[in-house]
Amino acid sequence: EVQLVESGGGLVQPGGSLRLSCAASGFILSNHWMHWVRQTPGKGLVWVSRINHDGSSTTYADSVKGRFTISRDNAKNTLYLQMDSLRAEDTAVYYCARVNSGYNDYWGQGTLVTVSS
Amino acid sequence: EVVMTQSPATLSVSPGERATLSCRASQSVSTNLAWYQQKPGQAPRLLIYGASTRATGIPARFSGSGSGTEFTLTISSLQSEDFAVYYCHQYNNWPPLTFGGGTKVEIK
């Protein structure tokens, strides 16, 4: 059974940092690109970042470029999102999602990040 | 950026009735269009990919159609478990990948 489990969310002050993790099981992580997608409470879905199979290629939404870093450790079956210089508008539930031919076929349950003083 | 516009924002339907949800893209996305269902407190669940292919385990009452800029998700006979928010998602032109704003299907 494919499972994605995010962790690392929490309350952080503006300007602070957090590192999210996404533990993958039930499939071979190195066979798939991965995405991070966020959802502001009560609002829609916004794509944040993607990473290719081996981590050699990454892409970011303009709103997080230069502040967030996506990475992966296929040996540990784990995806990461390092978030620096956090702003209030980064407050959201962050989901990791497996990519299958471009669309997201499996999603984690999400982890809540709250940026507030 | 491809803007995805969903309509209506809210759809009130009685159980057993048909629901038709629309999604429009600001430019052609071919058939690289997916639909997701999200219930409160849960992650999105893939329903449809390639505009019309049902994902594994998705009941046949869910169907998708369209290509280019106009897409439709139809739920032929609404069950109680189908009341949720539905999002379309284009994965043809990126970055960025973009999602529609969602359609909430509620009990009439």
Side-chain angles (χ1 to χ4, degrees):
Chain A
E1 178 191 6
V2 172
Q3 282 198 322
L4 297 167
V5 180
E6 301 94 337
S7 60
L11 175 63
V12 62
Q13 292 187 339
S17 297
L18 275 179
R19 188 197 199 199
L20 306 184
S21 298
C22 169
S25 60
F27 68 102
I28 300 172
L29 183 63
S30 59
N31 286 349
H32 292 269
W33 290 22
M34 297 292 292
H35 285 157
W36 285 99
V37 177
R38 68 187 181 185
Q39 185 171 35
T40 308
K43 297 294 181 64
L45 299 163
V46 177
W47 170 79
V48 172
S49 182
R50 72 92 181 161
I51 188 167
N52 72 342
H53 304 83
D54 62 5
S56 61
S57 177
T58 59
T59 313
Y60 300 92
D62 287 346
S63 59
V64 306
K65 201 174 295 182
R67 300 187 299 121
F68 289 13
T69 303
I70 189 172
S71 62
R72 64 194 298 160
D73 186 334
N74 288 335
K76 294 183 177 180
N77 293 315
T78 305
L79 174 74
Y80 303 100
L81 186 68
Q82 176 67 40
M83 304 187 296
D84 299 318
S85 302
L86 282 161
R87 306 166 180 169
E89 54 264 36
D90 296 319
T91 294
V93 175
Y94 284 75
Y95 296 100
C96 63
R98 192 179 83 165
V99 181
N100 187 339
S101 301
Y103 56 89
N104 298 319
D105 60 352
Y106 288 94
W107 299 61
Q109 86 289 349
T111 187
L112 177 62
V113 172
T114 303
V115 184
S116 175
S117 54
Chain B
E1 172 175 332
V2 180
V3 178
M4 306 300 291
T5 303
Q6 290 187 241
S7 62
T10 303
L11 186 61
S12 298
V13 186
S14 299
E17 289 188 341
R18 174 196 285 289
T20 302
L21 289 66
S22 295
C23 175
R24 174 176 292 176
S26 61
Q27 63 189 82
S28 177
V29 298
S30 184
T31 56
N32 293 312
L33 190 285
W35 290 92
Y36 303 92
Q37 177 194 68
Q38 187 177 35
K39 297 178 180 179
Q42 296 185 17
R45 177 176 72 142
L46 177 67
L47 298 175
I48 301 285
Y49 62 92
S52 60
T53 303
R54 275 190 304 277
T56 303
I58 301 304
R61 64 181 181 272
F62 291 92
S63 63
S65 64
S67 66
T69 62
E70 300 284 343
F71 301 89
T72 301
L73 175 69
T74 302
I75 311 171
S76 60
S77 177
L78 270 159
Q79 307 298 302
S80 58
E81 62 267 29
D82 300 335
F83 293 96
V85 180
Y86 293 83
Y87 295 96
C88 62
H89 163 219
Q90 73 81 20
Y91 50 96
N92 190 68
N93 302 329
W94 64 279
L97 296 163
T98 49
F99 295 84
T103 291
K104 181 180 181 181
V105 178
E106 64 177 23
I107 301 173
K108 187 175 182 179

